Amino acid sequence: MFDKILIANRGEIACRVIHTAKKLGIRTVAVYSEADAQARHVKLADEAWLLGPAAPKASYLLGDKLIEIAKATGAQAIHPGYGFLSENEEFAAACEAAGVVFIGPPASSIAAMGSKSAAKQLMERALVPLVPGYHGDDQDPALLARETERIGFPVLIKASAGGGGKGMKIVERAEDFAAQLASAQREALASFGDDKVLVEKYLTKPRHVEIQVFADQHENCVYLFERDCSVQRRHQKVLEEAPAPGMSEERRRQMGEAACNAARAIGYVGAGTVEFILDTLTGEFYFMEMNTRLQVEHPVTEMITGQDLVEWQLRVADGERLPLLQEELHIHGHALEARIYAEDPAKDFLPAIGHLHVLRTPQVSQTIRIDSGVVEGDEISPYYDPMIAKLIVWGEDRPAALRRMRQALSEYRIVGLTTNVDFLATTVAHPAFATGNVDTGLIARHRAELIPAEQAVSHDLLAIASLAELAEITRLAALRRAQSNDPTSPWNDAAGWRLNEATHTELHFRDTSGDRIALAHYRCDGFIIEIEGESIACKLLQESHGQLRFDLNGRQLTADVIRHENELHLFVFGRHHVLQRFDPVLDGLDEQDDTGSLRAPMPGTVVAVLVTAGQTVEKGQPLIVLEAMKMEHTIAAPAAGLVTELLYQVGERVNEGTELILLNTET
Ligand code: ADP
Ligand code: ADP
Ligand code: MG
């Protein structure tokens, strides 16, 4: 076995690999960019080497430099993780040439699967079933349009070199084809440096079911069963599970064997995933692509098989035989993974950036696993994937795993940036998911229930917020009293003491519906809190480090309250609620008038300007396209108006909040 390995990646996957290396007594070399100098993976490794500036091209994608560091540190092998150089055949070949083991398949296998088009040509020959489509080399737009007509709408345009759901466009009608093709090519070129595309039939109600395969250097190949990754947004997975709900033994064996055939056809070695798309209407399955690396969602497979796939990777790379044969592999129970992202589900899952002011997680155990590359205080930067953590749970069966997932999600406390935690909690609780009747359209179809419009905060929540504020007022008053030279002064008292008036305190909050006022009347055993005509009897029973135990109209409950700037974050009833606290005297001074200006939602590059100065536009009309965090974001007109000025041109970089275009909406 190797004595020392280099991990050519960052974030949770770098930490994940280091974990197994440590378990096996292998020393680890981490690498990092300037943005990651304080990152968790850097601290976990035995040593860490600086690569360069934050941009992946200047750091994590520097293949030669990585090999140099491996040489200099005496690392005998390089684990590429996923993303970055993991599916880069030149890098795999360069490692081989330099005498460093690439922990992955041979360069030739990566090459065979690197292009989705070429892979489909190959699979066609290996008799693996394919989705009807065009995957030829000729990229003439007229030919592509003709092929599309032949396949029949709807079709999906995919970047041949694609990954991570990028560069994919659904086309419903012939008249949209040209624009969608251009957009797919642009995204493909920006993300993968290659604008080649393929077109295939877009299945309307499919499931994404993939098979984990493993092959060694002695011609053995096994499948470690399937994962269902149908719950996706932007064609990217958010919830994954193993085994797939409703999978028959027969279908499992067919798909497993088809996947092993695919692997054998390209002389595969190591961990790989063969992705299939399953037509829920006909029950047919088709090859989609093969990912020649460890997959993000590999932990669900580990949970149900009891195997450590990174350990398997290391053993196989070292020339050992596969640890287990097909007959020795069994499914035990059910596992679910939820990807916790910094993103805003309400804004079409726009990635978010910011500071993890508070990050508290459920307790890990035999049945709850968290893979993460960040800790409280860290930054989610615009340079890399905005994943905060993977939460993986195990249960005896699917309902048990679901309950555990729901519970674990409700224990997350993240403050400082927008996350998808509540969205995930709502999704796993939704009947569409709970019944196991999943397909890739689940999120879109149930959008209204999964991403409810922000509502006015309930009276109960306002009462809880009031109790938290009253506890804070008491705490501050006690502090003042302790520091004062007149501790008995009524001015240092917090019991709502008034001259000539019943004792009460007015508390001001703000939510999406506007200003909310709570009037707290002091009673000897608690408060009567009056909110918009309703009176709620409240009592604070206990308070410690922001955790409140209280009584609301005779009901005893617990909530976590976290203050951040002028926000009050309430974690109660399994959900996260945010209220603004405000001072009515100072209010209204800093209101900003944003009409007529359109700002960049995050740092990025302008990739298309779709209007000209002097042009009138309709509400919702796309104005400018920004590429940020490897995705295209279209900025549309919030209202009809006249474009008065374009402030940026194609190719220019913009910062978050930068005004991009001036629009006069007063007509
Ligand atoms: P999976 O099927 O395992 O989710 P995908 O094929 O969807 O993998 O995407 C590849 C993985 O690589 C993603 O999960 C993502 O985390 C990572 N990735 C994608 N793009 C980048 C990038 N530009 N930089 C770093 N990592 C990336
Ligand atoms: P990536 O490399 O980005 O992972 P894939 O080809 O694996 O690209 O597709 C990603 C997702 O897009 C799939 O999991 C599936 O949800 C959806 N998808 C892909 N091909 C089709 C298709 N032909 N019809 C319907 N959905 C598809
Ligand atoms: Mg895929």
Side-chain angles (χ1 to χ4, degrees):
M1 182 49 77
F2 311 115
D3 299 314
K4 195 172 189 179
I5 61 169
L6 182 146
I7 297 103
N9 213 300
R10 63 180 301 281
E12 67 89 13
I13 193 61
C15 299
R16 160 73 193 89
V17 174
I18 293 170
H19 177 83
T20 292
K22 284 198 165 161
K23 186 181 84 179
L24 300 176
I26 299 170
R27 279 172 299 150
T28 51
V29 181
V31 289
Y32 64 97
S33 71
E34 282 164 10
D36 280 337
Q38 302 297 322
R40 182 163 179 261
H41 79 277
V42 170
K43 292 175 184 156
L44 286 181
D46 293 313
E47 60 187 296
W49 288 55
L50 176 67
L51 288 170
K57 277 197 187 98
S59 51
Y60 296 104
L61 293 174
L62 293 176
D64 293 343
K65 191 154 184 178
L66 288 161
I67 293 172
E68 250 171 58
I69 297 171
K71 287 288 200 191
T73 55
Q76 299 131 320
I78 296 184
H79 194 301
Y82 55 71
F84 297 129
L85 294 169
S86 63
E87 294 180 281
N88 184 306
E89 60 191 272
E90 285 91 24
F91 181 64
C95 287
E96 213 171 310
V100 177
V101 175
F102 175 77
I103 303 172
S108 57
S109 303
I110 300 178
M113 291 294 180
S115 149
K116 286 190 208 288
S117 314
K120 291 182 87 170
Q121 291 167 20
L122 230 147
M123 291 300 113
E124 203 160 30
R125 269 176 266 138
L127 302 178
V128 179
L130 299 183
V131 190
Y134 170 79
H135 42 258
D137 293 326
D138 192 341
Q139 296 284 298
D140 173 21
L143 172 86
L144 292 174
R146 271 201 310 281
E147 285 294 329
T148 298
E149 295 289 343
R150 177 182 63 80
I151 300 163
F153 291 98
V155 298
L156 187 61
I157 307 175
K158 283 188 190 177
S160 284
K166 290 161 209 115
M168 262 203 288
K169 303 285 160 189
I170 302 165
V171 193
E172 313 263 1
R173 306 171 307 172
E175 52 267 43
D176 299 336
F177 185 76
Q180 294 291 62
L181 175 65
S183 171
Q185 288 172 328
R186 213 165 39 228
E187 226 174 283
L189 193 64
S191 302
F192 315 108
D194 178 358
D195 66 0
K196 191 171 176 196
V197 299
L198 63 87
V199 186
E200 62 186 31
K201 180 87 195 155
Y202 182 68
L203 305 183
T204 47
K205 218 180 172 197
R207 276 168 71 173
H208 174 118
V209 178
E210 59 185 34
I211 304 284
Q212 175 72 55
V213 294
F214 235 105
D216 64 16
Q217 301 178 34
H218 312 278
E219 313 216 321
N220 300 302
C221 182
V222 297
Y223 57 91
L224 289 94
F225 316 110
E226 77 281 1
R227 295 183 286 256
D228 190 307
C229 315
S230 298
V231 184
Q232 305 180 344
R233 45 104 183 85
R234 312 184 119 158
H235 304 299
Q236 282 177 319
K237 305 155 184 171
V238 265
L239 277 169
E240 298 111 333
E241 59 185 306
M247 178 72 118
S248 69
E249 275 306 325
E250 171 69 4
R251 167 69 47 70
R252 175 171 295 132
R253 200 176 42 73
Q254 285 171 352
M255 292 181 78
E257 283 170 6
C260 284
N261 286 343
R264 283 196 195 95
I266 57 166
Y268 202 76
V269 175
T273 296
V274 183
E275 295 188 332
F276 292 101
I277 191 148
L278 196 92
D279 191 334
T280 52
L281 305 173
T282 63
E284 301 285 324
F285 63 90
Y286 308 101
F287 171 85
M288 204 158 34
E289 65 163 343
M290 179 167 183
N291 293 326
T292 54
R293 55 172 160 84
L294 190 68
Q295 201 105 332
V296 176
E297 57 276 18
H298 75 278
V300 291
T301 300
E302 298 187 317
M303 289 286 233
I304 60 156
T305 57
Q307 303 302 310
D308 177 338
L309 297 190
V310 174
E311 180 176 344
W312 281 45
Q313 284 190 299
L314 293 169
R315 293 195 181 285
V316 163
D318 193 37
E320 287 185 34
R321 289 180 170 275
L322 287 178
L324 294 175
L325 299 171
Q326 194 65 57
E327 311 78 78
E328 295 170 310
L329 284 161
H330 303 285
I331 297 178
H332 179 52
H334 200 97
L336 289 171
E337 173 179 281
R339 299 194 192 186
I340 298 176
Y341 278 106
E343 66 180 19
D344 190 351
K347 290 188 187 151
D348 198 19
F349 301 97
L350 185 72
I353 51 175
H355 194 71
L356 288 162
H357 180 68
V358 174
L359 172 60
R360 290 183 218 151
T361 68
Q363 182 71 42
V364 296
S365 66
Q366 288 286 8
T367 54
I368 297 183
R369 164 173 169 181
I370 297 172
D371 282 17
S372 177
V374 291
V375 295
E376 190 168 279
D378 281 356
E379 206 75 42
I380 298 293
S381 75
Y383 303 108
Y384 314 110
D385 196 277
M387 191 160 73
I388 299 169
K390 304 188 301 204
L391 170 64
I392 310 106
V393 302
W394 181 90
E396 307 67 57
D397 52 22
R398 193 171 189 268
L402 266 172
R403 281 195 301 277
R404 199 159 271 145
M405 178 59 90
R406 216 178 302 176
Q407 172 70 23
L409 282 168
S410 77
E411 290 171 14
Y412 255 97
R413 304 283 179 266
I414 303 177
V415 171
L417 39 71
T418 313
T419 76
N420 65 344
V421 173
D422 274 16
F423 163 76
L424 290 167
T426 309
T427 306
V428 296
H430 195 280
F433 185 72
T435 55
N437 254 328
V438 292
D439 72 82
T440 61
L442 189 145
I443 292 177
R445 197 162 49 248
H446 298 285
R447 190 176 198 92
E449 300 121 75
L450 300 179
I451 312 166
E454 261 193 87
Q455 283 176 348
V457 163
S458 73
H459 290 172
D460 278 359
L461 279 167
L462 282 168
I464 299 166
S466 303
L467 275 178
E469 287 293 84
L470 292 163
E472 182 69 0
I473 291 170
T474 308
R475 193 183 68 81
L476 292 175
L479 214 65
R480 256 198 324 273
R481 206 163 31 233
Q483 287 163 355
S484 143
N485 47 20
D486 185 9
T488 55
S489 159
W491 306 114
N492 289 330
D493 183 29
W497 180 82
R498 290 283 186 289
L499 278 172
N500 309 321
E501 212 186 326
T503 57
H504 71 262
T505 296
E506 213 172 78
L507 299 157
H508 292 255
F509 302 101
R510 186 175 284 164
D511 67 9
T512 42
S513 70
D515 295 351
R516 311 291 299 272
I517 299 168
L519 216 54
H521 301 275
Y522 292 74
R523 293 290 181 266
C524 53
D525 63 340
F527 303 91
I528 299 290
I529 300 184
E530 214 184 302
I531 301 158
E532 295 151 10
E534 188 186 356
S535 292
I536 302 173
C538 308
K539 215 183 305 179
L540 185 64
L541 304 172
Q542 213 182 337
E543 203 260 299
S544 129
H545 298 100
Q547 190 169 79
L548 268 56
R549 178 94 195 143
F550 52 88
D551 181 313
L552 274 197
N553 284 336
R555 199 158 50 126
Q556 289 196 14
L557 297 161
T558 308
D560 273 347
V561 178
I562 297 169
R563 287 181 175 73
H564 177 52
E565 293 164 356
N566 65 339
E567 295 167 349
L568 201 62
H569 294 257
L570 302 182
F571 294 87
V572 63
F573 308 127
R575 289 292 184 278
H576 178 185
H577 306 270
V578 189
L579 275 169
Q580 308 286 325
R581 299 181 294 161
F582 82 102
D583 183 334
V585 180
L586 300 175
D587 173 50
L589 299 181
D590 58 1
E591 289 274 299
Q592 225 180 14
D593 183 13
D594 257 357
T595 40
S597 84
L598 289 144
R599 296 172 189 279
M602 58 179 53
T605 308
V606 176
V607 291
V609 177
L610 308 168
V611 290
T612 50
Q615 186 177 338
T616 53
V617 295
E618 292 162 27
K619 180 177 177 183
Q621 183 171 338
L623 306 175
I624 210 165
V625 183
L626 207 65
E627 203 241 32
M629 301 182 94
K630 307 277 167 197
M631 298 288 296
E632 283 195 356
H633 305 283
T634 303
I635 316 282
L642 177 77
V643 177
T644 50
E645 198 179 342
L646 298 167
L647 302 171
Y648 287 89
Q649 294 176 357
V650 171
E652 284 189 278
R653 272 198 70 79
V654 296
N655 285 323
E656 184 189 3
T658 305
E659 202 157 1
L660 299 171
I661 203 164
L662 294 184
L663 185 70
N664 185 353
T665 53
E666 286 157 21
T667 40

